[in-house]
Amino acid sequence: GAVVSQHPSRVICKSGTSVKIECRSLDFQATTMFWYRQFPKQSLMLMATSNEGSKATYEQGVEKDKFLINHASLTLSTLTVTSAHPEDSSFYICSAIADADGPLGTEAFFGQGTRLTVV
Amino acid sequence: AQSVTQPDIHITVSEGASLELRCNYSYGATPYLFWYVQSPGQGLQLLLKYFSGDTLVQGIKGFEAEFKRSQSSFNLRKPSVHWSDAAEYFCAVGAASGGSYIPTFGRGTSLIVHP
């Protein structure tokens, strides 16, 4: 299967600072990428959907100005948590989907996740 | 909008016993259905998926799932559980969106395996 690399896997930052998380599709071009947030012992909550070269579509209740998403190329999407606070501490996971008509079809491939701790 | 229900928060089985994890979905059209497994602190690994065709789907690690349209279910099964199967399992339904899809996840079922 295709590989999605997410970096960093863990990050600790001070309250008020910003943190950038990268999501890369290593061996395929991702037309669509998703960002999820997962609280302990809970499911993945979709935060936003991004398509290369266009603005991300945020789910209801997700602050656009706080969670900045950039999908500048077909292999890279970034999530920047701005002015992070302790309540932003969570596990963030990205996933990527290739061209639906391509050999990878419509399967979503997931990164390994980023554990963000804001102190 | 689509939704997924995993009614069991925890399932405990003995090693070697059979396993069935339940999943019910709500979606207006023919769904794309998935089962993922997540080990602690890790991302998700796809176990199997159903798009169309044969309703009994074989996946990796000896897992299978059966799509039952009449029951809106996509239960995951394994005939003999191994201790390494202990993990969090997520069922997901994908709603088609412009050539791709947006997956919606159930809350997950935690599998505990006793020796």
Side-chain angles (χ1 to χ4, degrees):
Chain A
V3 177
V4 173
S5 176
Q6 193 172 333
H7 177 80
S9 58
R10 293 179 179 271
V11 58
I12 301 173
C13 71
K14 291 183 178 180
S15 185
T17 62
S18 296
V19 174
K20 179 184 286 187
I21 303 170
E22 292 187 348
C23 180
R24 292 180 184 273
S25 56
L26 296 186
D27 47 6
F28 68 100
Q29 293 185 328
T31 54
T32 305
M33 286 187 171
F34 304 101
W35 286 95
Y36 294 87
R37 181 173 180 176
Q38 186 181 31
F39 293 100
K41 302 296 184 182
Q42 295 190 30
S43 186
L44 284 73
M45 301 300 296
L46 181 65
M47 298 175 66
T49 302
S50 72
N51 293 289
E52 183 266 339
S54 61
K55 290 185 178 180
T57 302
Y58 289 81
E59 296 299 300
Q60 190 172 8
V62 178
E63 299 177 60
K64 302 178 183 181
D65 295 332
K66 182 163 191 63
F67 299 100
L68 300 179
I69 292 172
N70 184 288
H71 194 161
S73 76
L74 284 172
T75 60
L76 174 65
S77 176
T78 60
L79 167 67
T80 301
V81 183
T82 63
S83 187
H85 291 283
E87 56 265 31
D88 298 325
S89 299
S90 193
F91 194 60
Y92 294 87
I93 302 177
C94 73
S95 74
I97 295 180
D99 181 355
D101 295 327
L104 297 178
T106 53
E107 180 176 341
F109 300 94
F110 286 82
Q112 71 271 38
T114 297
R115 172 71 61 193
L116 170 63
T117 303
V118 184
V119 298
Chain B
Q2 68 275 17
S3 66
V4 177
T5 301
Q6 291 180 251
D8 302 307
I9 299 176
H10 303 283
I11 290 284
T12 301
V13 299
S14 298
E15 190 170 15
S18 63
L19 169 72
E20 182 170 36
L21 302 182
R22 295 184 290 165
C23 173
N24 293 95
Y25 69 90
S26 173
Y27 185 58
T30 300
Y32 295 156
L33 294 164
F34 309 83
W35 274 99
Y36 289 89
V37 61
Q38 183 183 34
S39 297
Q42 300 293 315
L44 275 70
Q45 181 182 23
L46 180 67
L47 289 175
L48 46 79
K49 61 187 177 185
Y50 171 80
F51 284 175
S52 64
D54 193 348
T55 57
L56 184 61
V57 180
Q58 301 297 320
I60 62 172
K61 303 183 179 184
F63 286 94
E64 66 176 25
E66 186 171 11
F67 171 55
K68 294 185 177 180
R69 184 187 300 276
S70 61
Q71 299 177 17
S72 297
S73 70
F74 189 58
N75 294 348
L76 181 72
R77 301 192 294 250
K78 186 170 184 176
S80 177
V81 172
H82 188 263
W83 63 267
S84 60
D85 293 325
E88 194 81 15
Y89 290 81
F90 293 96
C91 180
V93 60
S97 175
S100 62
Y101 69 88
I102 300 176
T104 297
F105 289 85
R107 64 177 177 181
T109 298
S110 180
L111 175 62
I112 301 166
V113 180
H114 282 316

